[in-house]
Amino acid sequence: QVQLVEAGGGFVQAGGALRLSCAAAGRYAMGWLRQAAGKEREVVAAISRSGGRIYYADSVKGRFTVARDNAKNTMYLQMSALKPEDTAVYYCAATPTRYSETYYSLASQYDYWGQGTQVTVSS
């Protein structure tokens, strides 16, 4: 069983920034997903096992940056220019893969999930 430990999140005003981190050991493709109240869980950013291939949802392109440090077994999500519509519970997710350059852009493709961390953006 993989344990994903998230840190970061919190309350910020619109236009502000936050950074999330997720610690996970192992050779996984990883992603950040979010779920707003009354909405389905969506992938906002995904990163391949090597870190060489990255995906962003259109709603966060140019504002969010995903990265990973495999030496530290940690993935990050730097969020800037935050909007009230970014308010959601954010989840770190991982899935094992033999392919170092594959990312996964669907929530259903992830096998393991963190506990989630709340991000609230006020207007």
Side-chain angles (χ1 to χ4, degrees):
Q1 185 72 20
V2 176
Q3 283 194 323
L4 301 175
V5 182
E6 297 152 346
F11 183 93
V12 66
Q13 290 188 331
L18 286 172
R19 190 175 87 152
L20 307 180
S21 63
C22 173
R27 299 160 66 87
Y28 303 102
M30 299 185 73
W32 288 101
L33 293 79
R34 69 184 181 189
Q35 187 166 22
K39 295 188 177 181
E40 292 188 355
R41 196 171 295 188
E42 61 170 343
V43 176
V44 296
I47 188 166
S48 63
R49 208 180 72 199
S50 72
R53 295 198 68 210
I54 288 173
Y55 162 87
Y56 294 106
D58 287 344
S59 58
V60 306
K61 279 182 183 176
R63 300 188 298 119
F64 289 13
T65 302
V66 64
R68 66 190 296 166
D69 184 339
N70 287 338
K72 296 181 178 179
N73 293 324
T74 302
M75 177 180 64
Y76 305 95
L77 184 68
Q78 179 67 46
M79 305 183 291
S80 59
L82 283 161
K83 304 175 181 179
E85 50 263 45
D86 293 319
T87 295
V89 178
Y90 283 71
Y91 298 90
C92 168
T95 195
T97 177
R98 71 176 73 177
Y99 304 113
S100 63
E101 301 303 327
T102 298
Y103 61 72
Y104 298 95
S105 59
L106 298 176
S108 59
Q109 293 174 304
Y110 289 92
D111 293 337
Y112 305 106
W113 299 79
Q115 78 283 3
T117 186
Q118 178 70 44
V119 172
T120 302
V121 184
S122 67
S123 57

